[in-house]
Amino acid sequence: ITLDSFMIEHPESSFMLRVKGDSMIDAGIHEGDFVIVERTQEAKPGSIVIADIDGAWTMKYLRKNGKQLYLEAGNKKYKDLIPKESLSIAAIVTGVVRKYG
C-alpha cells in the first residue's frame, strides 16, 4: 500500500504541510506532523482548513455563527479568530501523517 493510494483522493490538487504549533492538539494534530491538504475554495463549517485570515496563515476549524465565518483552534487555550478584514480558505485537511523515531 502506498500513502498516495490510501490517503490522497485528488493528487492533482493535494499536497503536504508540516505542522508548527499546538493549536490543533485536541484534533489529534501535533507539532511536527504532516497534514495532507486539498486545495479548495469551498469548505464546510466543521472542516479543518488552511486559511489566510487578515494576512496570516493558519490551520483551524472553520466555524459559522449566523452569516459570520470564523476559525476555532483545536486547543482550549487559544481564542477564536474572527476576521477583521479578510478570510480566505486555501485548502481543507484530509489526513494526518506522523512519523515516530
Side-chain angles (χ1 to χ4, degrees):
I1 190 166
T2 67
L3 183 64
D4 287 354
S5 65
F6 179 67
M7 304 269 308
I8 300 173
E9 188 172 336
H10 301 103
E12 67 282 352
S13 60
S14 298
F15 57 99
M16 293 176 73
L17 296 171
R18 183 181 288 258
V19 175
K20 288 185 177 180
D22 64 352
S23 69
M24 294 302 290
I25 60 172
D26 292 340
I29 302 172
H30 299 261
E31 185 162 15
D33 288 351
F34 286 90
V35 288
I36 299 169
V37 300
E38 185 176 325
R39 283 187 281 275
T40 184
Q41 296 297 318
E42 298 179 25
K44 297 177 183 172
S47 297
I48 298 174
V49 299
I50 305 300
D52 177 354
I53 182 166
D54 297 328
W57 288 96
T58 190
M59 176 177 54
K60 303 283 186 282
Y61 286 108
L62 180 64
R63 300 292 189 206
K64 188 173 185 178
N65 185 6
K67 293 182 181 182
Q68 174 70 55
L69 290 173
Y70 66 96
L71 301 175
E72 177 186 44
N75 184 335
K76 302 253 188 263
K77 74 179 188 179
Y78 293 96
K79 295 180 180 182
D80 294 342
L81 298 175
I82 299 168
K84 293 180 175 106
E85 294 179 22
S86 64
L87 174 61
S88 175
I89 307 303
I92 58 169
V93 175
T94 60
V96 178
V97 178
R98 180 175 302 134
K99 182 177 176 181
Y100 297 101

